[in-house]
């Protein structure tokens, strides 16, 4: 069977020969008894066993993954663990129980995606001459004397897809389920009260981020790799360290192509989780700096404009609202027409039938107290307080409230955009157009001295645009602005002449575009006449 198309149901139907493993001493008698109690039982029966003695069952599973290399058995045990954690994500804490303090809970998962477990088993046979039904590393220390990083590389790059997917998902849930104030592993990777070298959480996070980025770049599975990677990232990016690692790995740019309006349910979920990743990243300043230089904002606005699913619109709006006060995002949002889009969204009736995500972060039906309790349990107090302060989700009208806040912020930005900052941005980008400020006498009177900043930087850029731009509209506006500077600045004629703008403007008097010719002539007239008489010239 193609391992890429394996599913949980197929794997869990297998009959694993646990007795054979006990005969070859790969599992103990106690382990066999526990497996008999647990295997092929209903979910409710398994839940009781896990509630009563969860850490013991986790140890059995970890032992099997550590010592047994039969591919079908590895897949089966990974499926059991995945099923256990999916039914109740809080069970991830079982892996961090004091009972398992001496166990390396991460290493078996990191070790397991070998490109060909059977060929690896053949190497084991050469070392220890055991029956080829099963494999063990306990007899060939040389073959496993590899660093954790090497194990991780084998896991995340060379295993069959089912093992890669389940191992990554389990590692994500387990590492996220640790209690922040009860970290079992110290910074040097040694367990407390033990001389055994254990895999550190930092190494796990680094490896996971590397693998997830590799899947976004070059998916191992045509349809499941990217959704799996995004789903895991959505959980892991709650960790400040993961945000840093992801940005350092240049991962932000890998998310941008996924921020597109979606039509199918599957693509809608992927879009939602991608936007959620983006929302989590904006709590990390270097990520914001990257977003400012990408097309993320324009694509996010297209998502808001074109999506019909409330949870997608909600997370996109919250992301835009939190980006609004950062850098030049506010003015860019205005330029991209977001104020009109927000007004249109407010007029719509939003009511998703089911908008509760697995992580419950943006449930319209989730009360504030339950939301805070969830965040406190999963993300820590610092992140919880930050979220509660920045996002008002208290009832089903939270999207409308976020839209109102975004609208208010955009309105403030529109006011600021009539200021010199807006003008400066327009000039530096070379996107000159006939916005109201160019012909507004109040703007020029109030801001004329600001042209002197940084050794007349903006004026110098205006003059440079005369040489570099091929856009007739930009050239016309440029000539007009130079004429305005001459009129309103006391030393305008002298400064413009010293910066050698006259010859450049005169060349444009013969431009093929009438608008350019007209404004070039106006500029030259004011340059020759000076401020005293320039005001008499008609605009």
């Amino acid at each position: 069977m193609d391992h890429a198309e394996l599913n949980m149901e197929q794997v869990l139907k297998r009959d694993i020969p646990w007795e054979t493993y006990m005969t070859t001493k790969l599992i103990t008698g106690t382990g066999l008894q526990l497996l008999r109690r647990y295997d092929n039982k209903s979910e409710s029966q398994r839940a009781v066993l896990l509630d009563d003695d969860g850490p013991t069952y986790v140890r059995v599973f970890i032992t099997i993954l550590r010592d047994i290399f039969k591919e079908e058995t590895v897949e089966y045990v990974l499926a059991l663990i995945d099923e256990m954690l999916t039914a109740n994500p809080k069970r991830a804490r079982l892996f961090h129980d004091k009972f398992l303090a001496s166990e390396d809970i991460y290493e078996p998962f990191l070790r397991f995606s070998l490109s060909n477990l059977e060929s690896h088993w053949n190497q084991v046979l050469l070392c220890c001459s055991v029956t080829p039904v099963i494999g063990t590393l306990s007899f060939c220390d040389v073959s496993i004397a590899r660093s954790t990083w090497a194990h991780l590389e084998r896991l995340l790059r060379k295993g069959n897809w089912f093992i890669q997917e389940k191992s990554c998902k389990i590692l994500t849930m387990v590492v996220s389920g640790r209690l922040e104030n009860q970290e079992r592993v110290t910074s040097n990777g040694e367990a407390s009260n033990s001389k055994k070298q254990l895999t550190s959480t930092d190494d796990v996070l680094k490896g996971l981020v590397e693998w997830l980025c590799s899947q976004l770049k070059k998916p191992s599975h045509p349809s499941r790799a990217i959704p799996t990677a995004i789903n895991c990232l959505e959980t892991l990016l709650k960790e400040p360290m993961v945000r840093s690692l992801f940005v350092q790995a240049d991962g932000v740019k890998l998310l941008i192509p996924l921020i597109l309006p979606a039509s199918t349910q599957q693509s809608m979920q992927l879009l939602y989780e991608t936007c959620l990743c983006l929302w989590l990243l904006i709590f990390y300043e270097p990520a914001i700096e990257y977003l400012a230089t990408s097309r993320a904002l324009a694509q996010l606005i297209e998502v808001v404009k074109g999506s019909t699913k409330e949870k997608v619109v909600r997370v996109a709006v919250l992301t835009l609202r939190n980006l609004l006060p950062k850098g030049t995002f506010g003015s860019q949002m205005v330029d991209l027409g977001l104020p009109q889009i927000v007004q249109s969204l407010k007029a719509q009736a939003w009511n998703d039938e089911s908008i509760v995500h697995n992580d419950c972060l943006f449930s319209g039906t989730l009360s504030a107290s339950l939301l805070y309790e969830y965040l406190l349990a999963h993300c820590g107090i610092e992140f919880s307080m930050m979220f509660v302060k920045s996002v008002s989700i208290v009832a089903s009208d939270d999207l409308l409230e976020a839209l109102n806040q975004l609208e208010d912020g955009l309105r403030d930005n529109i006011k600021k955009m009539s200021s010199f900052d807006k003008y400066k941005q327009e000039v530096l980008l070379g996107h000159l157009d006939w916005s109201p400020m160019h012909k507004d006498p109040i703007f020029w009177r109030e801001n004329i001295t600001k042209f002197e900043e940084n050794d007349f930087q903006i004026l110098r850029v205006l003059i440079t645009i005369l040489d570099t731009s091929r856009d007739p509209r930009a050239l016309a506006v440029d000539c007009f602005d130079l004429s305005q500077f001459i009129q309103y600045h006391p030393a305008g004629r002298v400064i413009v002449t010293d910066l050698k703008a006259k010859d450049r403007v005169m060349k444009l008097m013969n431009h093929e575009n009438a608008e350019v010719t007209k404004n070039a002539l106006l500029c030259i007239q004011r340059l020759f006449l000076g401020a005293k008489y320039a005001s008499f010239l008609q605009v």
Side-chain angles (χ1 to χ4, degrees):
M1 177 178 290
D2 185 354
H3 289 284
E5 303 308 323
L6 269 181
N7 58 49
M8 290 279 288
E9 185 179 358
Q10 292 169 329
V11 172
L12 290 174
K13 284 181 179 178
R14 293 174 181 168
D15 186 15
I16 305 299
W18 300 122
E19 290 79 4
T20 306
Y21 287 119
M22 192 193 74
T23 302
T24 53
K25 299 182 180 180
L26 291 175
I27 60 175
T28 64
T30 302
L32 178 62
Q33 291 179 0
L34 289 168
L35 287 166
R36 283 173 173 170
R37 289 179 197 165
Y38 191 90
D39 202 15
N40 297 316
K41 297 298 187 295
S42 67
E43 183 178 335
S44 59
Q45 290 174 305
R46 288 176 175 177
V48 173
L49 295 173
L50 292 170
D51 289 341
D52 292 343
D53 205 6
T56 302
Y57 283 96
V58 168
R59 170 171 277 179
V60 171
F61 295 149
I62 290 175
T63 301
I64 293 171
L65 293 178
R66 185 187 65 220
D67 295 339
I68 296 175
F69 279 80
K70 182 72 173 176
E71 192 170 71
E72 287 78 5
T73 304
V74 171
E75 292 167 348
Y76 188 81
V77 174
L78 288 174
L80 286 179
I81 299 173
D82 182 32
E83 183 182 57
M84 173 187 83
L85 295 176
T86 301
N88 185 356
K90 289 184 178 180
R91 289 173 181 159
R93 297 179 183 178
L94 296 174
F95 287 77
H96 304 281
D97 192 89
K98 292 179 180 179
F99 178 72
L100 299 170
S102 62
E103 291 284 347
D104 193 332
I105 60 171
Y106 298 126
E107 193 271 344
F109 301 101
L110 301 181
R111 184 194 298 173
F112 260 121
S113 284
L114 299 173
S115 59
N116 190 331
L117 287 177
E118 295 296 340
S119 66
H120 183 79
W121 165 236
N122 290 334
Q123 296 176 9
V124 175
L125 284 179
L126 295 175
C127 292
C128 44
S129 301
V130 215
T131 172
V133 177
I134 37 185
T136 175
L137 289 182
S138 58
F139 301 107
C140 48
D141 292 339
V142 174
S143 67
I144 64 166
R146 310 270 178 88
S147 66
T148 299
W149 200 257
H151 290 320
L152 181 59
E153 196 170 16
R154 293 205 300 265
L155 161 68
L156 300 178
R157 299 191 188 284
K158 301 179 182 177
N160 73 55
W161 172 250
F162 186 88
I163 292 178
Q164 287 186 53
E165 181 183 33
K166 296 307 174 189
S167 297
C168 181
K169 182 180 177 183
I170 292 167
L171 277 172
T172 296
M173 288 190 282
V174 171
V175 77
S176 299
R178 72 193 187 285
L179 298 177
E180 294 181 1
N181 60 341
Q182 294 182 8
E183 181 66 69
R184 301 185 319 115
V185 181
T186 59
S187 59
N188 66 357
E190 293 181 3
S192 56
N193 302 320
S194 173
K195 295 182 179 180
K196 184 179 179 181
Q197 188 78 10
L198 302 183
T199 305
S200 73
T201 302
D202 287 358
D203 281 343
V204 176
L205 293 177
K206 288 174 185 175
L208 279 172
V209 169
E210 181 182 335
W211 184 80
L212 293 170
C213 287
S214 73
Q215 291 303 307
L216 294 175
K217 290 176 185 174
K218 190 177 180 181
S220 298
H221 189 281
S223 62
R224 285 159 52 183
I226 289 179
T228 296
I230 293 296
N231 183 263
C232 291
L233 272 173
E234 172 210 330
T235 299
L236 292 170
L237 283 170
K238 296 166 191 171
E239 298 269 353
M241 178 183 175
V242 174
R243 291 177 224 155
S244 174
L245 290 169
F246 189 68
V247 173
Q248 290 174 31
D250 213 12
V252 182
K253 74 175 183 181
L254 303 175
L255 298 179
I256 309 303
L258 303 177
I259 307 173
L260 295 170
S263 54
T264 66
Q265 185 64 35
Q266 185 177 9
S267 61
M268 194 80 72
Q269 183 64 23
L270 177 62
L271 174 61
Y272 168 68
E273 293 180 1
T274 304
C275 290
L276 187 51
C277 288
L278 208 61
W279 180 84
L280 290 164
L281 282 166
I282 62 177
F283 289 98
Y284 183 58
E285 196 63 35
I288 296 176
E289 293 172 5
Y290 180 87
L291 292 174
T293 63
S294 71
R295 283 193 47 80
L297 181 63
Q299 291 178 218
L300 205 56
I301 291 175
E302 284 300 311
V303 167
V304 170
K305 182 180 177 181
S307 295
T308 56
K309 198 70 172 174
E310 181 176 348
K311 69 177 184 180
V312 174
V313 176
R314 178 184 293 105
V315 68
V317 166
L318 291 171
T319 303
L320 290 170
R321 192 199 62 182
N322 287 5
L323 282 174
L324 184 62
K326 309 287 186 180
T328 61
F329 280 106
S331 57
Q332 291 180 56
M333 290 178 192
V334 174
D335 289 340
L336 291 168
L338 186 57
Q340 294 79 12
I341 296 172
V342 169
Q343 290 180 357
S344 174
L345 290 173
K346 288 178 65 177
Q348 298 181 40
W350 295 100
N351 185 23
D352 275 4
E353 292 180 3
S354 176
I355 59 175
V356 181
H357 184 262
N358 288 338
D359 283 342
C360 302
L361 282 180
F362 298 98
S363 167
T365 58
L366 193 65
S367 70
S369 59
L370 287 177
L371 174 65
Y372 181 78
E373 180 182 344
Y374 172 84
L375 290 173
L376 193 61
H378 288 74
C379 309
I381 188 167
E382 182 181 356
F383 188 90
S384 304
M385 292 302 297
M386 186 193 321
F387 184 92
V388 171
K389 288 178 181 177
S390 65
V391 184
S392 301
I393 300 183
V394 293
S396 58
D397 62 349
D398 61 323
L399 174 56
L400 182 59
E401 184 173 350
L403 286 169
N404 286 333
Q405 293 170 352
L406 182 57
E407 185 178 44
D408 291 342
L410 289 169
R411 190 179 296 115
D412 291 339
N413 267 272
I414 291 173
K415 293 178 182 177
K416 293 177 183 177
M417 287 176 70
S418 296
S419 68
F420 189 73
D421 287 337
K422 167 61 179 175
Y423 179 80
K424 183 177 179 180
Q425 180 191 6
E426 189 176 306
V427 173
L428 292 176
L429 291 173
H431 299 160
L432 295 173
D433 205 347
W434 291 115
S435 52
M437 73 184 79
H438 294 278
K439 296 186 178 182
D440 183 3
I442 298 175
F443 168 80
W444 287 96
R445 281 196 295 268
E446 291 181 351
N447 296 288
I448 195 64
T449 57
K450 294 181 180 178
F451 281 83
E452 300 173 6
E453 296 174 356
N454 298 320
D455 192 23
F456 294 95
Q457 178 197 23
I458 297 303
L459 192 63
R460 292 175 186 274
V461 174
L462 281 171
I463 294 171
T464 301
I465 290 173
L466 295 175
D467 288 331
T468 59
S469 179
R470 296 293 178 267
D471 180 14
R473 177 66 60 86
L475 292 172
V477 175
D478 196 314
C479 291
F480 180 80
D481 285 0
L482 287 173
S483 72
Q484 292 286 73
F485 177 81
I486 294 168
Q487 178 178 346
Y488 287 96
H489 196 283
R493 288 178 66 199
V494 176
I495 295 168
V496 171
T497 301
D498 287 347
L499 292 176
K500 306 186 185 309
K502 184 178 72 172
D503 291 342
R504 293 178 170 92
V505 177
M506 290 187 72
K507 288 181 181 178
L508 294 175
M509 290 176 64
N510 295 319
H511 198 277
E512 60 185 12
N513 184 278
E515 187 180 30
V516 175
T517 303
K518 172 187 172 182
N519 286 284
L521 176 61
L522 176 65
C523 183
I524 292 298
Q525 287 174 332
R526 287 182 172 174
L527 189 61
F528 284 124
L529 291 174
K532 183 177 180 181
Y533 302 103
S535 60
F536 291 102
L537 295 173
Q538 291 195 359
V539 177

